[in-house]
Amino acid sequence: MGWSTRQLAELAGTTLRTVRHYHEIGLMAEPERRANGYKDYGVPHLVRVLRIKRLTALGLSLTRIAELGDADEHPEEALRKLDGELAASIERQQQLRTELDLILRHSAPTELPAELGGAVAAANVSAADRALTVVMSQVLGKSALDTYAATLRNYEVDPALAEFDALPAEADKATRQDLAERMLQAPAVRKMLAEFPSFEDLSADAPHGADFARRAIVLAVVDLYNPAQLDVLVRMNC
């Protein structure tokens, strides 16, 4: 006399429902029944349940185990594939932990890639500049964004830049002209203009092309800065 379904489940460390489910989906053959009609499980059934439990614990789905058929005693190919998937998953999780570390250490904005977000946080740029950086992160390529991040890491606060950030839309022409001239003389701006590549170089590896990147950035600038600020930027480029 063997074990009942409940006894088999207890021996295998599982549940009645699980054993019955294995029967329903064809993972385990129904055992013979005793004279009283109860199922009569033997050692092979226990081995089968334990093998299924082990394979699912390793990461194989019940569907995949069913596909293996009699080959599931040592499904080398399936396990090697699973090992590769786990390795890729671990590598991705390690990358995520690195990104999380950067975000947490620098209180970086989560809408930006970790390295760029850290540079933005360290530079303490204005809300408009930060939003513009978000747009740039979507339309420029990696090399351009790396260059921009390096520029931000060397960012130096200047009174003229602070004035630009606070410039009201109704600022008069003389104020705008004076600010444009002082910004061009600001060490931080001069350094950025000297080190920052031209737009053609910056957009060389843009994923959607230079024209797409240019249009997106121009639209963002117009949307983010008020008319007086836009006029100052134009005067700086004259």
Side-chain angles (χ1 to χ4, degrees):
M1 181 179 292
W3 302 299
S4 67
T5 307
R6 183 177 301 279
Q7 290 170 328
L8 175 68
E10 289 176 352
L11 279 169
T14 189
T15 65
L16 278 169
R17 183 177 180 179
T18 297
V19 174
R20 289 167 179 161
H21 183 59
Y22 290 168
H23 287 312
E24 290 170 0
I25 63 177
L27 275 178
M28 188 165 70
E30 293 275 355
E32 295 182 0
R33 293 182 179 269
R34 304 172 188 170
N36 60 10
Y38 287 102
K39 294 175 182 176
D40 190 22
Y41 292 95
V43 173
H45 297 101
L46 176 63
V47 171
R48 180 62 177 162
V49 174
L50 291 174
R51 182 178 298 151
I52 295 170
K53 276 189 62 181
R54 180 60 173 156
L55 290 175
T56 54
L58 288 170
L60 291 181
S61 66
L62 293 179
T63 301
R64 182 68 181 113
I65 295 171
E67 292 172 352
L68 293 171
D70 296 334
D72 66 5
E73 182 174 351
H74 183 66
E76 182 174 352
E77 182 180 347
L79 293 178
R80 289 192 182 281
K81 180 180 179 181
L82 177 62
D83 183 58
E85 293 171 352
L86 287 173
S89 176
I90 290 171
E91 182 179 358
R92 175 57 182 155
Q93 289 173 359
Q94 289 173 334
Q95 292 173 349
L96 289 175
R97 290 204 66 196
T98 299
E99 291 184 17
L100 284 171
D101 178 61
L102 285 168
I103 291 170
L104 292 171
R105 278 193 292 113
H106 299 290
S107 299
T110 53
E111 67 270 19
L112 287 166
E115 289 284 351
L116 184 56
V120 166
N124 194 27
V125 300
S126 69
D129 289 346
R130 171 174 158 174
L132 178 60
T133 303
V134 172
V135 175
M136 291 171 64
S137 73
Q138 296 302 112
V139 298
L140 297 181
K142 185 179 184 306
S143 64
L145 294 176
D146 287 345
T147 300
Y148 185 53
T151 302
L152 288 175
R153 281 191 286 271
N154 296 322
Y155 183 80
E156 299 174 8
V157 178
D158 188 278
L161 296 176
E163 285 183 47
F164 175 81
D165 293 335
L167 187 69
E170 64 275 11
D172 60 36
K173 181 178 178 180
T175 299
R176 287 178 267 144
Q177 181 61 35
D178 175 67
L179 180 55
E181 292 173 1
R182 286 188 291 115
M183 284 181 66
L184 284 172
Q185 295 303 314
V189 174
R190 295 182 65 168
K191 184 176 181 180
M192 182 175 290
L193 292 175
E195 295 180 354
F196 212 70
S198 66
F199 187 84
E200 286 69 23
D201 293 333
L202 193 64
S203 59
D205 61 344
H208 303 292
D211 288 341
F212 182 91
R214 184 183 292 103
R215 286 196 300 271
I217 292 172
V218 169
L219 285 173
V221 168
V222 172
D223 186 49
L224 291 169
Y225 301 99
N226 67 42
Q229 291 171 319
L230 292 173
D231 185 53
V232 169
L233 295 176
V234 171
R235 291 172 185 274
M236 290 175 65
N237 286 282
C238 288

